[in-house]
């Protein structure tokens, strides 16, 4: 057992990707903070076009990572943070991030962090229903489930483009419940 195993980990890393549902991640951040968790937000570049990093800085009271090149220290932030993190929650999780995770592609801060994180991972998919049904997306999700990644949703509903079907991100309350369940011993 390493000395790191004795440290109580109270950090949840919240990965925010480029789905219109990214605005709901602000509420997730706020709710997790109210429940006593430290939240560190990692945003993909696409997510920053939908919600400003400042929103998450204010809600989490911690720096927001938007690039692999944000680290002010000698050690890459994704490696340092992986040692301190109890759970990686990605909400919303786009088809793009699910594909990167399934195939070990690490080309941004969030996908690189995923590969360095050794704890539980929970994803809340959010995308167009046709994208969700696509065989490639379903195969990526199958691979991730086999590797122990937990899923919450998606659910049936109207998505931003106006279509209805399975692909809408689960309600914030369901994501919070799944987060606490995943964290339970």
């Amino acid at each position: 057992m390493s000395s790191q195993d004795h440290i109580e980990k109270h950090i949840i890393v919240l990965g925010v990707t480029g789905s219109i549902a990214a605005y709901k991640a602000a509420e997730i951040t706020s709710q997790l903070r109210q429940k006593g968790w430290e939240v560190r937000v990692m945003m993909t570049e696409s997510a920053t076009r939908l919600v400003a990093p400042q929103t998450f800085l204010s809600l989490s009271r911690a720096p927001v990572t938007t690039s692999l090149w944000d680290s002010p220290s000698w050690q890459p932030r994704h490696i340092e943070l992986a040692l301190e993190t109890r759970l990686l929650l990605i909400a919303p999780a786009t088809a793009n991030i699910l594909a990167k995770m399934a195939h070990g592609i690490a080309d941004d801060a969030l996908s690189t962090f995923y590969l360095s994180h050794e704890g539980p991972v929970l994803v809340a998919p959010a995308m167009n229903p046709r994208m969700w049904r696509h065989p490639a997306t379903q195969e990526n999700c199958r691979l991730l489930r086999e590797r122990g990644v937990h899923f919450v949703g998606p659910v049936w509903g109207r998505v931003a483009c106006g279509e209805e079907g399975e692909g809408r991100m689960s309600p914030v309350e369901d994501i919070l419940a799944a987060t606490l369940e995943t964290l339970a011993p």
Side-chain angles (χ1 to χ4, degrees):
M1 197 177 267
S2 74
S3 61
Q4 205 50 254
D5 293 328
H6 296 291
I7 297 172
E8 186 64 32
K9 298 177 181 180
H10 292 288
I11 296 174
I12 294 174
V13 169
L14 174 60
V16 182
T17 67
S19 162
I20 192 64
Y23 75 93
K24 295 178 183 179
E27 181 62 21
I28 293 169
T29 303
S30 177
Q31 291 289 323
L32 289 172
R33 286 279 305 153
Q34 289 175 37
K35 292 181 184 312
W37 288 93
E38 292 182 45
V39 180
R40 301 295 183 270
V41 177
M42 287 193 169
M43 301 178 73
T44 64
E45 182 181 346
S46 296
T48 65
R49 295 176 178 263
L50 297 165
V51 183
Q54 183 66 40
T55 300
F56 294 104
L57 174 65
S58 297
L59 292 170
S60 70
R61 299 180 190 163
V64 176
T65 303
T66 59
S67 167
L68 278 170
W69 314 111
D70 286 349
S71 182
S73 71
W74 68 271
Q75 188 174 27
R77 183 66 185 135
H78 62 280
I79 300 298
E80 178 186 0
L81 188 57
L83 297 173
E84 305 167 351
T85 299
R86 178 98 173 262
L87 171 75
L88 169 59
L89 166 62
I90 303 177
T94 58
N96 186 51
I97 195 67
L98 295 171
K100 287 180 181 185
M101 292 166 66
H103 298 284
I105 297 169
D107 64 354
D108 62 18
L110 180 56
S111 58
T112 302
F113 180 81
Y114 166 72
L115 290 181
S116 63
H117 174 68
E118 294 180 331
V121 177
L122 174 64
V123 295
M127 64 197 75
N128 173 278
R130 286 178 282 135
M131 294 173 71
W132 174 249
R133 287 191 309 265
H134 194 280
T137 302
Q138 290 303 303
E139 178 62 14
N140 291 334
C141 292
R142 185 191 65 74
L143 282 171
L144 292 172
R145 283 185 182 102
E146 281 181 5
R147 293 178 190 155
V149 173
H150 303 272
F151 281 72
V152 55
V155 297
W156 183 275
R158 185 173 302 279
V159 295
C161 65
E163 290 186 37
E164 280 192 55
E166 191 175 19
R168 184 179 176 89
M169 189 168 87
S170 291
V172 169
E173 310 81 56
D174 293 354
I175 294 168
L176 292 170
T179 299
L180 297 176
E181 183 179 316
T182 304
L183 288 165

